[in-house]
Amino acid sequence: MYTHQKNIKSAGKPLEETGKALIMIHGRGATAESILSLREHLNVANFSLFAPQATNHSWYPYSFMAPIEQNQPALDSALALLNGLIDSIKEKGITSKAIYLLGFSQGACLTAEFANRQAQLYGGLILFTGGLIGQQLNIQNYTGTFEGTPVLITTGDPDPHVPVSRVNETEKILEEKGATVTKKIYKGRPHTILQEEIDLARTILSPTAANH
């Protein structure tokens, strides 16, 4: 088993110029650079971008539906890495509502789990094919409130990694914690990101989004 070394790639203008951060979290077997390449499709010129790199190219070793203990200590290490990154952004005077989180697949699962464990008002959460982590969900792990944070959560039906049932469970918990959720289930969609998902993400990232 493994823990994660701090290795964060960045792109875009410095925080002092933008005042807004987008944290992008890659999927299993991928890289920080690969998730950063999504920026070309997302209209994020006015964001500072940060993408942590997972040690071994994986945030945790087993399925996100496995018992949480099986994915330790990698999972806790990944959550701590994200926490440290957000703290370092806040230390530059950026509030949580100017911080956006985006993940794909395993990265979306990690994003959902992290955000729900210490919910606050974020600029937005974009969960491309992901859901909360664990064989059974332990509601006691999830604290705080999202105060209307806009959330996009998607998956395919069926998806080889992320079942619709877990996306539905995750949506329910997000809404109970005060998030404004857009859920999209795509029949027969392969394990990828569709143009419609990009367009919905752009809406959340837009400077005219409702919570600004």
Side-chain angles (χ1 to χ4, degrees):
M1 299 298 278
Y2 55 92
T3 57
H4 295 282
Q5 303 302 309
K6 184 179 177 184
N7 179 9
I8 294 163
K9 310 293 182 188
S10 58
K13 301 170 186 169
L15 277 171
E16 294 75 16
E17 283 184 46
T18 65
K20 289 193 295 187
L22 172 61
I23 298 171
M24 306 177 77
I25 303 164
H26 69 75
R28 188 188 297 272
T31 63
E33 288 84 0
S34 67
I35 195 83
L36 279 172
S37 71
L38 266 183
R39 70 186 184 276
E40 295 156 24
H41 307 281
L42 287 172
N43 192 22
V44 288
N46 294 321
F47 283 79
S48 303
L49 308 180
F50 301 90
Q53 174 64 52
T55 299
N56 299 341
H57 299 280
S58 181
W59 293 112
Y60 42 85
Y62 299 109
S63 164
F64 86 115
M65 302 284 288
I68 275 191
E69 309 75 53
Q70 289 185 12
N71 278 314
Q72 300 295 16
L75 175 58
D76 279 353
S77 175
L79 293 168
L81 184 70
L82 281 183
N83 196 49
L85 175 55
I86 285 184
D87 283 350
S88 70
I89 291 167
K90 286 180 173 178
E91 282 164 12
K92 293 192 163 68
I94 310 298
T95 63
S96 65
K97 74 174 183 179
I99 298 173
Y100 297 69
L101 299 169
L102 176 155
F104 171 63
S105 191
Q106 193 189 53
C109 297
L110 182 64
T111 300
E113 187 71 18
F114 172 80
N116 275 279
R117 287 193 182 205
Q118 40 193 326
Q120 53 199 299
L121 174 58
Y122 288 105
L125 305 177
I126 297 163
L127 309 173
F128 289 133
T129 309
L132 288 164
I133 295 173
Q135 187 174 32
Q136 264 82 43
L137 298 182
N138 182 357
I139 305 299
Q140 292 170 321
N141 284 338
Y142 307 133
T143 62
T145 173
F146 285 115
E147 300 176 48
T149 296
V151 179
L152 172 65
I153 185 168
T154 68
T155 196
D157 181 14
D159 181 87
H161 305 291
V162 181
V164 171
S165 58
R166 179 52 56 91
V167 169
N168 292 339
E169 282 181 279
T170 302
E171 175 195 31
K172 181 171 181 282
I173 291 169
L174 285 162
E175 288 183 334
E176 286 170 354
K177 298 182 66 58
T180 302
V181 182
T182 300
K183 179 183 71 178
K184 292 289 181 179
I185 309 296
Y186 297 99
K187 279 281 181 194
R189 188 209 65 182
H191 192 69
T192 187
I193 301 171
L194 300 178
Q195 184 61 47
E196 182 185 317
E197 294 171 82
I198 293 286
D199 294 343
L200 290 165
R202 285 170 66 115
T203 300
I204 288 176
L205 295 163
S206 159
T208 57
N211 67 321
H212 294 286

